[in-house]
Amino acid sequence: MAEAERIIGTPDIPEAAGDGPEQSGPDSEETAAAEQDGQRPGSEPDGAAEAEAEAGSAGKGKRKIAVLFAVAVVAYALDLISKMIVVAKLEHHEPIELVGEWLRLSAIRNAGAAFGFGEAFTIIFTCIAAAVIVVIARLARKLYSLPWAIALGLLLGGALGNLTDRLFRSPGVFEGAVVDFIAPKGFAVFNLADSAIVCGGILIVLLSFRGLDPDGTVHKD
């Protein structure tokens, strides 16, 4: 019996899965090509991933720019409306006491900078306000930080508010006097535009101390 089996021979048995030669076909060729290019099968090309990342960054940047201009519009509108009411209802009238003598509303015209400083340099302050607006508009293109968007929006709205007064109020273009009306005891009279500028400046200082840049990166000095 053993001799018969030796003569006839045993039938060929397929090799175990994974031990035999790999089958060739379209899928295996794609896998080999992807491995040669340094990519995993089914993964997106590096160019597509980079394009998607850039698109996401651009979308975030546009949202931050929208926040900046929204804050600026709100600050500018509040300043403009408050000045219109003050000119119509409070100018040439007795001051209104809000908190006794500690806080009053008293309409005055200020030809200087914020809080009444530098009345002899009205044109210079007008040019500075215009330059600040241009700088903020250029910086907005690289803006990816929400806190910076709010801070720059406050600066932009305040600068626009006081610049509007200097351009359109008497005595003339570039020399117009700014309307101030918030009068704390023992302090200079100011307006909402001045408040927006100061708040925006303070926020920028705090962000700088924390190492947060307008583009959203954080650095440690």
Side-chain angles (χ1 to χ4, degrees), residues 27 30 33 62 66 89 102 127 131 189 196 218:
D27 293 340
E30 283 185 13
K62 290 180 180 179
K89 302 294 184 181
W102 293 97
C127 295
V189 184
V218 179

Side-chain angles (χ1 to χ4, degrees), residues 122-136 155-156 158-164 166 197:
T122 304
I123 296 179
I124 295 177
F125 292 131
T126 303
C127 295
I128 291 174
V132 168
I133 293 171
V134 173
V135 170
I136 293 174
L155 284 180
L156 180 60
L160 285 172
N162 285 339
L163 182 61
T164 300
R166 299 189 189 282
I197 292 172

Side-chain angles (χ1 to χ4, degrees), residues 18-197:
D19 294 337
E22 295 183 357
Q23 297 180 354
S24 61
D27 293 340
S28 59
E29 292 178 359
E30 283 185 13
T31 302
E35 290 177 352
Q36 289 179 358
D37 293 337
Q39 300 173 359
R40 295 182 178 179
S43 63
E44 295 183 356
D46 292 340
E50 291 178 0
E52 185 177 352
E54 290 179 359
S57 299
K60 291 180 181 180
K62 290 180 180 179
R63 287 194 292 270
K64 300 304 183 295
I65 294 175
V67 171
L68 185 156
F69 286 108
V71 172
V73 168
V74 171
Y76 177 73
L78 291 176
D79 179 69
L80 184 63
I81 293 171
S82 65
K83 289 174 178 175
M84 293 173 61
I85 295 173
V86 166
V87 171
K89 302 294 184 181
L90 188 58
E91 198 169 33
H92 308 303
H93 291 78
E94 291 295 323
I96 299 175
E97 294 185 351
L98 296 180
V99 187
E101 62 179 5
W102 293 97
L103 181 61
R104 301 186 302 172
L105 298 180
S106 178
I108 66 168
R109 297 294 182 109
N110 172 25
F115 308 110
F117 298 110
E119 294 186 2
F121 304 97
T122 304
I123 296 179
I124 295 177
F125 292 131
T126 303
C127 295
I128 291 174
V132 168
I133 293 171
V134 173
V135 170
I136 293 174
R138 291 176 61 87
L139 186 60
R141 295 179 299 177
K142 299 180 180 180
L143 186 63
Y144 294 95
S145 168
L146 180 60
W148 270 95
I150 296 173
L152 293 178
L154 290 172
L155 284 180
L156 180 60
L160 285 172
N162 285 339
L163 182 61
T164 300
D165 283 358
R166 299 189 189 282
L167 292 177
F168 298 107
R169 296 193 186 277
S170 60
V173 178
F174 295 109
E175 298 181 352
V178 175
V179 176
D180 290 335
F181 57 93
I182 303 174
K185 183 180 180 181
F187 195 72
V189 184
F190 58 96
N191 55 41
L192 294 183
D194 297 333
S195 301
I197 292 172

